[in-house]
Amino acid sequence: MTRRRRIYEGKAKILFEGPEPGTLVQYFKDDATAFNAQKKGTITGKGVLNNRISEYLMMKLGEIGIPTHFVRRLNMREQLIREVEIIPIEVVVRNVAAGSLTKRFGIPEGTQLPRSIVEYYYKSDELGDPMVSEEHITAFGWAAPQDLDDMLALALRVNDYLSGLFLGIGLRLVDFKVEFGRLWENEEMRIVLADEISPDNCRLWDVKTNEKLDKDRFRQDLGNVAEAYQEVARRLGILPEAGPGDHAAPKLVQ
Ligand code: UDP
């Protein structure tokens, strides 16, 4: 891990200089944090699972025409990505009430929302990621109105696609967070999906039992955190048993 220049270290990932200009290597750690890093821990094997799950989901999203920063997985914990300028906004899409939404509005956890709700949070550890409106985002210049339009449209497409994909393997996509970046190609700028998509930033509940198979197991001390992430990978058909580089189809749950 000393062979490359470290560009950035976050809570769950490290970014290294990539092999070519315009590329980075994204390394997935086992570290977990919650509640604005007030709760810290390690989930053994999480990095390996998230690397694999995020690879799979980014690849599938790429196949339906969602532009992403993902290039290819390099090994158990690393993937090659395009270097982008991260837009400092977390886009949260919610289908079912959970987490901060239940607290903010007093809606019971598990309530199906009348339609998908999109929220924006300003990425700032010091400020604790405050919720912001489109007005704040454009007025403070974090993203241009056109960027925001693209982010919203992409986030909703991601939601529709992933909701269906997870439902097919018996999981309800309750909510998730995505991040976007700006990618320049010649003179053109494109908004692309960045960061990761994994049980660290999605809420996934078993359709039949409502069992939580995501980071809430860590946040709420429910135990078997790594096992839950592994179950998500297993249902997606991407556990190592499937063979290296093998993208076995997800198992349809009747
Ligand atoms: N989320 C995330 N990073 C954050 C905050 C939220 O990935 O810094 C994800 C979280 O896992 C959930 C969704 O965004 O899937 C909505 O989270 P919420 O606003 O309910 O906050 P939480 O209760 O997770 O703090």
Side-chain angles (χ1 to χ4, degrees), residues 93-107:
V93 185
R94 303 178 181 275
N95 302 304
V96 174
S100 65
L101 183 103
T102 61
K103 296 195 193 87
R104 194 176 309 120
F105 302 112
I107 301 172

Side-chain angles (χ1 to χ4, degrees), residues 19-203:
E20 293 144 40
T23 65
L24 295 174
V25 172
Q26 183 165 246
Y27 176 95
F28 287 74
K29 301 192 277 185
D30 285 346
D31 298 348
T33 61
F35 313 118
N36 201 28
Q38 285 168 37
K39 181 181 169 90
K40 290 196 175 89
T42 304
I43 302 165
T44 305
K46 172 175 83 86
V48 175
L49 288 161
N50 281 357
N51 185 25
R52 192 75 180 89
I53 292 170
S54 195
E55 170 199 21
Y56 182 78
L57 298 177
M58 289 278 184
M59 222 187 52
K60 298 303 274 184
L61 289 166
E63 284 172 10
I64 62 152
I66 306 268
T68 82
H69 72 163
F70 180 80
V71 180
R72 66 174 181 274
R73 190 166 61 87
L74 297 172
N75 54 51
M76 297 275 276
R77 285 186 184 270
E78 293 177 329
Q79 50 182 242
L80 186 68
I81 57 170
R82 306 282 299 270
E83 183 172 23
V84 300
E85 181 188 295
I86 291 287
I87 294 166
I89 299 297
E90 297 190 340
V91 182
V92 168
V93 185
R94 303 178 181 275
N95 302 304
V96 174
S100 65
L101 183 103
T102 61
K103 296 195 193 87
R104 194 176 309 120
F105 302 112
I107 301 172
E109 182 181 72
T111 309
Q112 181 77 39
L113 298 171
R115 62 185 177 85
S116 302
I117 294 175
V118 180
E119 297 170 347
Y120 303 105
Y121 294 85
Y122 177 52
K123 269 166 70 75
S124 164
D125 288 340
E126 304 85 76
L127 300 174
D129 296 350
M131 186 154 105
V132 293
S133 71
E134 295 194 14
E135 289 279 296
H136 296 119
I137 296 171
T138 54
F140 296 136
W142 297 320
Q146 181 60 54
D147 299 342
L148 205 45
D149 285 354
D150 292 353
M151 289 158 65
L152 174 63
L154 289 171
L156 290 174
R157 284 184 68 199
V158 169
N159 184 49
D160 282 348
Y161 181 80
L162 291 186
S163 291
L165 184 143
F166 282 122
L167 202 55
I169 53 169
L171 293 173
R172 183 172 297 131
L173 180 60
V174 169
D175 58 30
F176 64 94
K177 181 267 293 184
V178 279
E179 294 184 24
F180 295 92
R182 295 188 186 91
L183 182 65
W184 274 273
E185 277 161 337
N186 305 316
E187 300 298 286
E188 302 261 299
M189 189 275 285
R190 272 201 306 163
I191 300 290
V192 305
L193 190 61
D195 192 51
E196 68 174 287
I197 305 183
S198 72
D200 265 10
N201 37 47
C202 296
R203 285 195 171 93

